[in-house]
Amino acid sequence: MPSGHLLLEEPIRMASILEPSKASFFPAMTKIVGTLGPKSRSVEVISGCLKAGMSVARFDFSWGDPESHQETLENLKTAIKSTKKLCAVMLDTVGAEMQVVNKSKTPISLLADGQVVLTPDQGQEATPEILPINFDGLAKALKKGDTIFIGQYLFTGSETTSVWLEVSEVKGQDVVCIIKNSATLAGSLFTLHASQIHIDLPTLTEKDKEVISTWGVKNKIDFLSLSYTRHAEDVRQAREFLSKLGDLSQTHIFAKIENVEGLTHFDEILQEADGIILSRGNLGIDLPPEKVFLFQKSALYKCNMAGKPAVLTRVVDSMTDNLRPTRAEATDVANAILDGSDAILLGAETLRGLYPIETISTVGRICSEAEKVFNQDLYFKKTVKYVGEPMTHLESIASSAVRAAIKVKASIIICFTSSGRAARLIAKYRPTMPVLSVVIPRLKTNQLKWSFTGAFEARQSLIVRGLFPMLADPRHPAESTSATNESILKVALDHGKALGIIKSHDRVVVCQKLGDASVVKIIELED
């Protein structure tokens, strides 16, 4: 990874720090993924989340049943119609997750220096002395001295909702552990994480496959978040599974990197996946704390150069219960943007947090401020150098469009695309202005009926930094006469004006395909 990776404009005017943040149609170029759950499933709250800047709704199948998630999704559709804000849907799999089962739901208090036994015998009741787990291969994978974390939400082993255990001995299928901190586990299910241990569980479980082929197919999910991705083969298998499920062959797979195994095979996973989610909650357990920032910077750089969206988790945990983030959290969000993150994923903060709307709004404002000092010039040069020569036709057009837009101080870049690839490539060069991706639907047939593609492509740009989609009228073909292109351009410009991002005398860079040629043109708007 190159040195001097801090992408910051110098110098920052002190006066600019004191200026109030200006609200605009785009609270930020960086996208926000919100997890919908008990505290964020009503139409009213979801509408507030959309207005605050959420562009992807995440449905976490580690908890809740498909029926309750379906109700939440129906509420999301209602909120999208009323707010007129586009939103994509992400299904997050359970994956190779081990869980402690507490059938009675009675809170379990564990005391430091005591002993507790983990057993695969789920017929047993969970007590402070014995915890039944859903995996019978744990004893085979562990040895004396290994570390285990159990908790409902956080796994730091320092707060009272999670416990840190050390393996003292393995007895048959049971694992005897010493309790390292006092904690109370409340609820029916707790996640168990064995630090730096290979667990012989499939990445896509049978339960995951069932959820994807029923709930996922019914709702035409835009993104699949593949939990506990450990190898590139995990992504290939998931893609093969999706390819047989009709519309889901278009679903983008985001590999969730949450342990050392995934980290070790990061480069190959990045090649196979459509995007990456850096799950810092679990990574923070598997990695020594002092190594997490280094992996974050390296992984974001690699994603940026590959032109694949990178999503960061666990940024404002304290906002689960508080209206304001800590100073460290606010700085962490800003640094994630300066490091090149495309999106911030909010988990517990919106799922069960008390202030889901305020959290999205606060994170959006921090992102927006960081974007103002993002050193685009340095980033652009690094990206061009990394891509090297000769550039592909599309890379050349994309980088030229961004260079032109910056030189003429354009207020927006408009890109006509049918697959979404051209627009994503433009966004890869991180222009300082929004990229309006005008997705031109394509007509396809299965010999029985005609249908249009385009909705997937439009929604999938909602996770890419700086990219804002608009679905064109399907009666306008993607590559046609200049007259039709002019009429689509007029619609796009009117859309930009209505949003308040284009005004009279502004310059606009347009990137479009005319026959076999790609054209970048600069237009100056009249009154």
Side-chain angles (χ1 to χ4, degrees):
M1 195 185 133
S3 59
H5 189 53
L6 182 65
L7 298 173
L8 192 63
E9 289 283 11
E10 292 289 351
I12 299 171
R13 286 186 308 115
M14 288 310 291
S16 73
I17 294 172
L18 303 174
E19 287 167 7
S21 303
K22 295 181 184 72
S24 69
F25 170 74
F26 303 119
M29 304 275 262
T30 307
K31 302 303 174 66
I32 297 175
V33 181
T35 306
L36 300 185
K39 290 282 195 286
S40 53
R41 57 192 309 252
S42 69
V43 174
E44 185 186 6
V45 174
I46 296 173
S47 297
C49 290
L50 291 170
K51 286 177 190 165
M54 176 179 80
S55 64
V56 180
R58 171 175 169 257
F59 292 81
D60 184 358
F61 276 80
S62 303
W63 71 274
D65 51 49
E67 291 72 34
S68 66
H69 283 306
Q70 190 62 45
E71 282 172 29
T72 307
L73 184 55
E74 295 308 322
N75 288 347
L76 171 66
K77 288 176 187 170
T78 306
I80 289 169
K81 277 186 188 140
S82 65
T83 59
K84 295 185 170 56
K85 301 271 186 194
L86 265 181
C87 187
V89 171
M90 175 183 280
L91 187 160
D92 202 319
T93 64
V94 177
E97 185 169 274
M98 294 178 289
Q99 291 170 328
V100 172
V101 184
N102 178 17
K103 287 177 187 161
S104 69
K105 299 186 183 179
T106 309
I108 297 162
S109 293
L110 300 165
L111 294 174
D113 303 323
Q115 271 199 349
V116 67
V117 177
L118 306 178
T119 178
D121 179 4
Q122 290 187 49
Q124 299 243 34
E125 279 291 323
T127 68
E129 291 75 41
I130 194 149
L131 296 174
I133 60 173
N134 67 344
F135 176 54
D136 58 13
L138 186 63
K140 284 189 215 130
L142 293 171
K143 63 184 185 306
K144 188 177 179 190
D146 281 340
T147 303
I148 294 171
F149 293 90
I150 295 173
Q152 197 172 6
Y153 306 115
L154 300 173
F155 306 102
T156 62
S158 63
E159 73 296 306
T160 55
T161 59
S162 79
V163 68
W164 166 24
L165 307 173
E166 188 181 295
V167 177
S168 63
E169 66 173 313
V170 175
K171 282 184 178 175
Q173 287 196 314
D174 292 352
V175 180
V176 183
C177 302
I178 296 162
I179 302 163
K180 305 296 279 186
N181 69 298
S182 297
T184 299
L185 303 176
S188 59
L189 277 181
F190 322 114
T191 302
L192 183 150
H193 184 95
S195 187
Q196 298 201 22
I197 302 294
H198 171 75
I199 298 301
D200 195 16
L201 276 170
T203 301
L204 206 56
T205 64
E206 289 309 310
K207 183 186 168 188
D208 289 330
K209 287 179 179 176
E210 187 188 337
V211 165
I212 294 164
S213 54
T214 52
W215 195 93
V217 169
K218 178 182 177 182
N219 298 301
K220 297 184 180 178
I221 54 166
D222 303 296
F223 302 109
L224 179 74
S225 164
L226 193 61
S227 294
Y228 298 98
T229 305
R230 295 166 285 184
H231 300 271
E233 187 56 34
D234 296 340
V235 183
R236 282 192 286 268
Q237 286 174 4
R239 200 174 303 285
E240 191 184 341
F241 180 69
L242 291 179
S243 69
K244 296 170 183 157
L245 297 173
D247 285 326
L248 295 202
S249 60
Q250 296 177 76
T251 297
H252 279 185
I253 298 172
F254 274 58
K256 214 166 164 192
I257 307 296
E258 33 196 335
N259 54 28
V260 166
E261 239 179 311
L263 214 157
T264 309
H265 304 109
F266 184 83
D267 291 357
E268 307 96 86
I269 290 169
L270 178 60
Q271 275 188 314
E272 286 295 327
D274 296 301
I276 296 285
I277 296 173
L278 302 179
S279 185
R280 299 190 308 172
N282 284 344
L283 267 175
I285 301 170
D286 252 26
L287 280 177
E290 66 273 17
K291 299 280 188 188
V292 177
F293 85 97
L294 204 56
F295 168 64
Q296 175 177 316
K297 284 180 180 293
S298 170
L300 290 177
Y301 173 76
K302 286 174 177 177
C303 290
N304 289 167
M305 294 305 108
K308 291 187 177 182
V311 183
L312 209 65
T313 72
R314 302 306 287 271
V315 288
V316 285
D317 287 333
S318 73
M319 286 197 79
T320 305
D321 303 304
N322 300 299
L323 256 175
R324 285 168 69 94
T326 65
R327 284 90 180 136
E329 287 171 336
T331 306
D332 183 34
V333 175
N335 279 326
I337 306 317
L338 297 177
D339 284 348
S341 187
D342 280 81
I344 298 291
L345 189 154
L346 301 171
E349 303 97 322
T350 54
L351 173 102
R352 62 180 177 89
L354 304 178
Y355 309 103
I357 299 167
E358 292 85 351
T359 303
I360 291 168
S361 178
T362 302
V363 169
R365 286 199 305 276
I366 299 168
C367 292
S368 182
E369 285 296 317
E371 287 158 11
K372 289 175 191 171
V373 294
F374 181 78
N375 191 335
Q376 200 282 333
D377 187 47
L378 175 63
Y379 180 93
F380 187 89
K381 284 173 183 163
K382 277 186 175 178
T383 312
V384 168
K385 188 177 176 186
Y386 180 89
V387 171
E389 292 176 357
M391 275 188 174
T392 63
H393 177 82
L394 262 182
E395 286 271 7
S396 168
I397 293 293
S399 57
S400 301
V402 174
R403 185 180 273 118
I406 287 164
K407 294 284 185 202
V408 303
K409 292 190 163 51
S411 57
I412 193 168
I413 299 172
I414 295 176
C415 174
F416 293 117
T417 178
S418 52
S419 68
R421 188 159 164 250
R424 280 198 301 275
L425 267 182
I426 290 173
K428 169 184 169 178
Y429 287 90
R430 295 279 191 262
T432 50
M433 65 291 296
V435 180
L436 190 60
S437 164
V438 183
V439 180
I440 318 282
R442 286 178 295 185
L443 196 58
K444 65 171 190 176
T445 178
N446 61 1
Q447 311 303 316
L448 294 171
K449 64 175 184 176
W450 290 92
S451 62
F452 286 105
T453 67
F456 267 101
E457 290 81 358
R459 289 192 303 266
Q460 281 163 345
S461 59
L462 289 166
I463 206 165
V464 181
R465 180 153 145 191
L467 203 50
F468 299 90
M470 172 190 152
L471 200 54
D473 189 320
R475 287 166 298 191
H476 291 147
E479 296 164 37
S480 58
T481 64
S482 54
T484 7
N485 277 321
E486 287 305 317
S487 69
I488 303 174
L489 178 58
K490 185 179 182 311
V491 171
L493 291 170
D494 288 346
H495 182 62
K497 285 174 188 166
L499 300 175
I501 47 172
I502 309 175
K503 55 189 188 305
S504 301
H505 305 296
D506 275 2
R507 288 171 176 175
V508 174
V509 168
V510 182
C511 185
Q512 65 187 118
K513 214 167 177 194
L514 288 175
D516 292 332
S518 296
V519 178
V520 173
K521 63 181 181 184
I522 301 158
I523 54 175
E524 192 157 340
L525 302 184
E526 297 166 0
D527 287 331

